[in-house]
Every structure is written in C-alpha cells, then in structure tokens.
Amino acid sequence: MKPNMTALKKWYATLLFLALPAFLFAFDSSKAHLSFEPFFSYQYGKIGEYLYARDDSASDFERISYLEWEEKPVWLYGLQMNASYKHLYVGAAVTTALPASCGKMYDSDWMDRNNLGLKTNFSESDNSLHSHIDVNGTLGFIIFPEKTFRIMPFAGVGFYNTVFKANGAECWYGDTQTTNLSSDVSWDDASAKHFFISDSETVIEYNLHSLYTLLGCQFMLVPTERLAFDFSLSVAPYSYIVAIDNHILRSIKFKDEIDSYFRIFKGRISAYYTFNDILAAGLSVGGVYSIMNLGYSYITTNNKSYAWIVNEKGGTDIKAFNVTASLKINVF
C-alpha cells in the first residue's frame, strides 16, 4: 500500500508547528552571535615552483628548475561570516583578488646534468595575477565563553585556486641544448646567449589549486568594551595540490600532483575597535608559510592526455605576509 503523501505532509507540518515553540523557548538569544565582516588585504610574498629529476641509475632527485612567482603585491578582498551559539561556532570566508600586475617571474634552469651546481639558464618576465579564489569553512568549540577571554579550537576545509601569467622575457641562456655553444656555461657568462621576448607574448601561465584541511586554535581577549584582540594559528594536516605550468610558446604543459601533510601554516593577529553594538573596525596582520613538498609530475603536448614522467618530481611552496582592514557588522 502506498503511503498517503498528503496526510504525511500534514503530519510533518503539525509536528513542526508544535516543535517550533519549544525550539524558540530553548533558544537563548543572549548566547547567540552572528556577524559579517567585509575586508580588504594587501599581500606581499611569492610562490615557488620546483622541478627535480634523477638519472635511471641515481637514487636521489636533484633540482633542475625553479620558477619564482612574485606577489609584490596582490590586493585581496572578501567576506568573513561568523556565527556562534553557546559553546559552538561556525565560520566561513570567501577571498578573491584584483587582477593586476604583481611584480616579476624569475625562471632558473640547471641544464648541465653532469654539473647541477651550474645554473645555465635564467630569465625574468612581468608577472600578473589573472584570477584568485579561496573559500573555506570552519567548525569550532568555545572553551571559555566569557566575554573577556575565549579559547576556540577549530577544524575546517577549504579550496584555493590562483592563476598567474608571465608576459615577455629577458633571457640569458648558457646551455648547449638551445644554443650553438660548444659547452654549457653559466647564465651570466659573457658567452651566454642574451635575447628578449616581446611583452605582448604570454610565455608561461601557472595555475595552482588545492583542496585543504585546517586544524587550529583562536584566542580572544577583550580588555575593555571598546577594544578586542585575537590571535589564531592553524596548520593544514592534509592538502591535495595540483599545479599546472603551461609553456605557451612551446605548446607544453607540466602538471604536478602533490600530497602535503602538515606543511602549510597560517597565523594572524587582529585588533578591533567597537563603535557600538553593531559596528567594529578591525586591523590585522598575518601570513602563510608552506614547506616545499615533492609530488608526481606529468607532461602533455598539444593538449593531449598527460603522461607520467617517471624520473621527475614537482613541488611548490608559498611564503606571504598580509595586512588586512575590515568592518565587522554584528547582526546579533
């Protein structure tokens, strides 16, 4: 026999109607909080892109390439939401950036496999941020829910994606593979080939994205009715990182897939001045520091499927410092 859906809907509606007064009676608004915080940040730092390789007979991987993508600076903006009730709280944040020039991209290569201490090739390009998005959510527990001091451990997850473009280049090449030199020389040797690529050419596009977890703690101190301070520190227990390096002029793409464990750290110190029950202005300094970790490396040409490069590994790291101004809007 099929259930009577109309009767079930009426029963659920009646149950909800009867339960709502009980929920409202149990809800203590004095112990609840909801706020929205638009913010704007100045970030200064760099992202490193690494490639390591080994011969078939070797056991150790040696660095053969390093690209440094500057963030000098990037301008970030977004929205933070925080909500709490009694001992529980949740947070969510969305951060994006203004597409703009952000310094240089430096490309270094060690092409002489018999002398990896010799940097043969070097170039610098104009770097620009093409796009950026960082979305994360946290769930935490308030150990001391008093107004003057709180300790709030939390856990969270997030998604990060950023795209850089390197335009034009000034190059110094001292390797035999791409020049007519009889032997490999240092990039700054007088015999190294010196040439330019037009600024109108995008030479490399770099796409770095990650799914990450967070584990950390926040400490809040409220010494007066007007002033509040908080300090937070977190680590990423696990991050899955994918970095795609598109060499446009060569029609070659490299992809690195990296599993990172406890190698990404974030910290922040903030101060807030409260104007009234609704508005507060915030100023904070913080940063992110990640330790380079190597993962599997792949290659494709002409947008075909990727092939695993057995004797190569790729890696990435981030070092950035930021200053953030915000306006906190307390709903209740």
Side-chain angles (χ1 to χ4, degrees):
M1 179 185 297
K2 294 183 178 180
N4 188 326
M5 298 305 297
T6 302
L8 285 176
K9 290 178 181 179
K10 290 181 178 179
W11 186 83
Y12 284 133
T14 302
L15 182 63
L16 179 62
F17 178 77
L18 294 175
L20 185 59
F23 172 77
L24 293 176
F25 179 78
F27 181 80
D28 185 354
S29 61
S30 66
K31 297 182 179 180
H33 172 75
L34 175 65
S35 67
F36 295 93
E37 189 174 353
F39 60 85
F40 191 79
S41 296
Y42 169 95
Q43 181 159 295
Y44 192 93
K46 65 179 181 179
I47 295 178
E49 177 190 355
Y50 301 82
L51 183 63
Y52 282 67
R54 68 177 180 184
D55 295 328
D56 292 334
S57 59
S59 58
D60 295 330
F61 285 84
E62 302 284 350
R63 183 180 60 175
I64 63 171
S65 179
Y66 171 61
L67 283 76
E68 179 182 318
W69 301 85
E70 289 186 334
E71 295 181 333
K72 297 183 178 180
V74 295
W75 299 95
L76 307 171
Y77 63 95
L79 180 67
Q80 172 79 39
M81 184 278 292
N82 290 299
S84 64
Y85 181 64
K86 294 185 178 179
H87 289 273
L88 296 177
Y89 81 97
V90 295
V94 178
T95 306
T96 186
L98 299 174
S101 174
C102 58
K104 297 289 185 179
M105 188 281 286
Y106 302 103
D107 186 355
S108 301
D109 295 298
W110 292 259
M111 301 291 287
D112 188 344
R113 300 300 294 272
N114 297 317
N115 183 11
L116 287 176
L118 179 70
K119 183 165 76 172
T120 57
N121 296 2
F122 177 74
S123 66
E124 63 177 59
S125 304
D126 292 325
N127 187 31
S128 61
L129 179 67
H130 181 68
S131 64
H132 175 85
I133 186 73
D134 188 355
V135 182
N136 65 74
T138 56
L139 174 65
F141 185 79
I142 304 173
I143 295 179
F144 297 103
E146 288 79 11
K147 290 184 178 180
T148 56
F149 181 68
R150 293 184 176 188
I151 299 176
M152 298 174 286
F154 61 85
V157 295
F159 171 77
Y160 169 95
N161 183 81
T162 192
V163 178
F164 290 111
K165 289 187 176 182
N167 299 310
E170 183 176 7
C171 309
W172 296 264
Y173 281 18
D175 70 299
T176 58
Q177 297 180 30
T178 57
T179 68
N180 57 0
L181 295 172
S182 58
S183 62
D184 292 322
V185 298
S186 174
W187 68 275
D188 55 358
D189 189 273
S191 60
K193 184 180 179 182
H194 182 208
F195 61 98
F196 294 87
I197 298 175
S198 171
D199 291 342
S200 62
E201 297 274 8
T202 298
V203 293
I204 301 177
E205 182 179 275
Y206 185 57
N207 185 358
L208 177 66
H209 57 272
S210 170
L211 289 170
Y212 61 89
T213 57
L214 286 173
L215 192 63
C217 193
Q218 182 177 356
F219 304 87
M220 180 176 290
L221 177 65
V222 186
T224 71
E225 293 183 355
R226 295 292 185 185
L227 288 176
F229 302 92
D230 71 59
F231 168 73
S232 67
L233 185 65
S234 61
V235 62
Y238 173 73
S239 298
Y240 173 69
I241 302 168
V242 176
I244 298 176
D245 185 15
N246 184 8
H247 290 252
I248 297 173
L249 299 183
R250 298 164 56 194
S251 298
I252 296 176
K253 288 184 180 180
F254 297 94
K255 180 175 72 171
D256 301 322
E257 294 185 0
I258 306 164
D259 294 307
S260 177
Y261 298 92
F262 293 96
R263 287 177 173 263
I264 303 174
F265 305 88
K266 293 183 178 181
R268 186 189 66 186
I269 300 175
S270 304
Y272 290 91
Y273 181 83
T274 300
F275 298 104
N276 49 49
D277 291 339
I278 298 176
L279 295 178
L283 182 65
S284 65
V285 294
V288 56
Y289 177 84
S290 70
I291 302 171
M292 193 271 292
N293 192 34
L294 294 176
Y296 295 107
S297 189
Y298 304 84
I299 187 172
T300 181
T301 57
N302 299 319
N303 292 319
K304 297 179 181 179
S305 59
Y306 283 97
W308 177 35
I309 309 174
V310 177
N311 287 328
E312 290 187 4
K313 288 188 175 184
T316 186
D317 64 6
I318 301 174
K319 297 176 178 64
F321 170 82
N322 57 67
V323 179
T324 301
S326 63
L327 183 66
K328 182 182 289 187
I329 304 169
N330 296 305
V331 179
F332 54 82

